[in-house]
Amino acid sequence: MPPSPVASPSPSPSTSTSAERTRQLRVVAASGLLGTAVEFYDFLVYGTVAALVFGELFFPGADPAVGTIAAFGTFAAGYVARPLGGILFGHFGDRLGRKSMLLLTMGLMGGASFLVGLLPTYDTIGVWAPVLLITLRVVQGIAIGGEWGGATLMVVEHAGERRRGLWSSFTQMGAPLGSLLSTAVVALVVALPKDEFAAWGWRVPFLLSVVLLGVGLFVRLKVVESPLFTEVKKDRAESRLPILDVLRRPRPVLLACCVGIGAFTAQSLLTSYLIAYATGIGYARPQVLTALTVSAAVALVVLPCASALSDRVGRRPVVLAGALASAALAFPVLALVDSGSPGLLILAVVLGHGIAQSTMYGPLGALLTEMFGTRVRYTGASLGYQGATLIGAGFSPMIAGSLVAGSGNSTPVSLLLCGGAVVTAVTVLFVRETSRTSLADTADPAEGSDAPHTQEITA
């Protein structure tokens, strides 16, 4: 008789479980990358088009400088709404679950962006045009206010103790990827004759967002709920009012807010505001958009490198290095922009945004989520992050525009860049190192700790 075949050994339950966790982690990381890219594409398209054309289309009759400031006022409205979105979606994310909130934020953002592309201008419906524009911008702000926190902590909580900095960088990379997509699409429509761009071309980037929305939702539907939140839900240990638990001991959220100010000041001034400033001193629009595209491509490399490095040496040293670099480069970067050379403009944006800002920004995803316990993590991380965007990015373009109009030079922009970086650098000194903190042992503010425990992760 022929020998009976030898059955292949089946994988052990632990091996199968580990493989499934790794597969799901990759899906979650892809979801975070695509979802955040879609949200930032929508959000940054607005900022780019606001700098180019919204002043004349939605705020006519005003002085050109006032029109630009008014357009950036709607830009700030989106940032003011972001902390509100962080509180709203953070509450339900900590109460009901992360996944459902992420689907809702993406739908809101994509829908609002698509409707902006359909808006009649002031010439058609009068004052209702800017009113509706600001309303949709607020909806965008609320949506993105809930997006980042949920997307980032989903990745971090799925990663557990495995290279959280590196895995969280996929969500962080959504910002430059969204910027890359938005500037590339806007660059194409800006190539149209000026009257055609003002008539219909500006609408195209907003209308295309519906395609990105479909792709993002398809991937996000495949994600399973965070395992750490599932445990909290199973134990019925959810916080009844996460925002009150966070604010009862506000030190972590205040530190989280301040540590991100430098990154968002640099992001805002060297992307959206730079378009208005650089075109105002003689650069062609395609030259400025090319510089932003190159910078975003560089950021896609620097972000994961900085985040992975933070797993090895800690979050604090990497963020501090980026902040010091940003402060040191503040005046040289604007001097390069003022040179009038397209090549030096690219170098300026790559140094200030692609490298220095990305080094600060990369580890923030892991750092902020590690500062809060599972019961309030969505609320705490979102509130800290969105507070930083409000202070660092929301009003920087308006302040810079007003000061530059008064002084006639770029010194105020350099001072704002340097000031934001200094705030981050000083705050880092007061933040505990979290790269070796076990997420399962992180204390909630409601449990009587202002900062996470620092139980070391052992191999």
Side-chain angles (χ1 to χ4, degrees), residues 235-258:
D235 295 338
R236 298 184 178 181
E238 307 97 317
S239 170
R240 294 184 62 185
L241 288 172
I243 183 64
L244 292 184
D245 287 342
V246 168
L247 296 181
R248 188 171 290 123
R249 292 181 177 272
R251 186 173 185 269
V253 76
L254 291 175
L255 291 175
C257 174
C258 292

Side-chain angles (χ1 to χ4, degrees), residues 78-95 98 101-102 105 108 138-151 153 241-244 246 253 376-390:
Y79 280 106
V80 171
R82 288 173 72 157
L84 176 61
I87 295 171
L88 177 65
F89 288 103
H91 173 83
F92 290 105
D94 285 326
R95 291 281 300 161
R98 299 14 177 155
M101 294 304 105
L102 290 176
T105 58
L108 280 175
V138 169
V139 172
Q140 281 191 327
I142 290 173
I144 204 169
E147 161 67 24
W148 179 90
L153 68 86
L241 288 172
I243 183 64
L244 292 184
V246 168
V253 76
V376 298
R377 185 170 288 133
Y378 203 143
T379 300
S382 295
L383 195 57
Y385 183 92
Q386 302 307 337
T389 66
L390 173 62

Side-chain angles (χ1 to χ4, degrees), residues 33 44 172-184 270-271 288-305 346 349-351 353-355 357-358:
L33 174 64
L44 295 173
Q172 301 294 81
M173 288 164 64
L177 181 58
S179 175
L180 191 63
L181 291 172
S182 66
T183 53
L270 296 177
T271 55
V288 182
L289 295 177
T290 297
L292 295 179
T293 301
V294 173
S295 173
V298 171
L300 287 173
V301 177
V302 175
L303 277 170
C305 291
I346 293 175
V349 184
V350 166
L351 289 174
H353 181 261
I355 297 177
Q357 190 273 348
S358 295

Side-chain angles (χ1 to χ4, degrees), residues 36 45 55 148 192 194 219 224-225 227 251 298 319 353 398 443-444:
T36 308
V45 156
W148 179 90
L192 293 168
K194 187 174 181 180
V219 175
V224 300
E225 185 57 87
R251 186 173 185 269
V298 171
V319 174
H353 181 261
M398 283 195 302
D444 286 307

Side-chain angles (χ1 to χ4, degrees), residues 78-427:
Y79 280 106
V80 171
R82 288 173 72 157
L84 176 61
I87 295 171
L88 177 65
F89 288 103
H91 173 83
F92 290 105
D94 285 326
R95 291 281 300 161
L96 305 177
R98 299 14 177 155
K99 178 178 176 178
S100 57
M101 294 304 105
L102 290 176
L103 292 171
L104 184 55
T105 58
M106 181 176 286
L108 280 175
M109 175 62 84
S113 185
F114 184 75
L115 289 176
V116 169
L118 299 177
L119 270 185
T121 62
Y122 186 94
D123 289 340
T124 304
I125 60 172
V127 71
W128 283 107
V131 169
L132 291 173
L133 180 67
I134 293 173
T135 300
L136 291 174
R137 185 57 172 174
V138 169
V139 172
Q140 281 191 327
I142 290 173
I144 204 169
E147 161 67 24
W148 179 90
T152 302
L153 68 86
M154 274 285 275
V155 177
V156 172
E157 289 182 347
H158 273 276
E161 320 305 342
R162 298 178 296 171
R163 296 183 296 173
R164 295 192 299 251
L166 176 61
W167 283 109
S168 69
S169 70
F170 284 89
T171 302
Q172 301 294 81
M173 288 164 64
L177 181 58
S179 175
L180 191 63
L181 291 172
S182 66
T183 53
V185 171
V186 172
L188 291 176
V189 295
V190 161
L192 293 168
K194 187 174 181 180
D195 57 339
E196 293 186 28
F197 175 72
W200 60 268
W202 67 270
R203 300 180 183 275
V204 174
F206 294 101
L207 298 177
L208 285 177
S209 66
V210 73
V211 178
L212 297 175
L213 174 63
V215 175
L217 288 175
F218 175 78
V219 175
R220 188 154 280 180
L221 283 167
K222 295 179 178 293
V223 172
V224 300
E225 185 57 87
S226 156
L228 288 178
F229 179 78
T230 300
E231 286 297 314
V232 169
K233 192 75 173 175
K234 185 174 70 174
D235 295 338
R236 298 184 178 181
E238 307 97 317
S239 170
R240 294 184 62 185
L241 288 172
I243 183 64
L244 292 184
D245 287 342
V246 168
L247 296 181
R248 188 171 290 123
R249 292 181 177 272
R251 186 173 185 269
V253 76
L254 291 175
L255 291 175
C257 174
C258 292
V259 80
I261 285 175
F264 290 110
T265 301
Q267 181 189 61
S268 182
L269 293 178
L270 296 177
T271 55
S272 297
Y273 175 73
L274 185 72
I275 298 172
Y277 177 77
T279 54
I281 62 174
Y283 287 97
R285 289 174 179 175
Q287 292 173 333
V288 182
L289 295 177
T290 297
L292 295 179
T293 301
V294 173
S295 173
V298 171
L300 287 173
V301 177
V302 175
L303 277 170
C305 291
S307 301
L309 182 62
S310 76
D311 284 329
R312 291 183 172 273
V313 304
R315 319 291 185 218
R316 297 169 72 243
V318 178
V319 174
L320 180 60
L324 294 177
S326 186
L329 289 169
F331 284 90
V333 159
L334 267 298
L336 292 173
V337 173
D338 289 339
S339 69
S341 166
L344 294 181
L345 173 67
I346 293 175
L347 178 61
V349 184
V350 166
L351 289 174
H353 181 261
I355 297 177
Q357 190 273 348
S358 295
T359 302
M360 278 190 287
Y361 184 66
L364 283 183
L367 174 61
L368 268 59
T369 54
E370 290 163 350
M371 293 174 69
F372 300 91
T374 304
R375 296 173 64 250
V376 298
R377 185 170 288 133
Y378 203 143
T379 300
S382 295
L383 195 57
Y385 183 92
Q386 302 307 337
T389 66
L390 173 62
I391 298 171
F395 297 103
S396 293
M398 283 195 302
I399 295 172
S402 300
L403 294 177
V404 168
S407 66
N409 59 60
S410 64
T411 299
V413 184
S414 298
L415 289 173
L416 284 171
L417 275 174
C418 189
V422 168
V423 171
T424 291
V426 171
T427 305

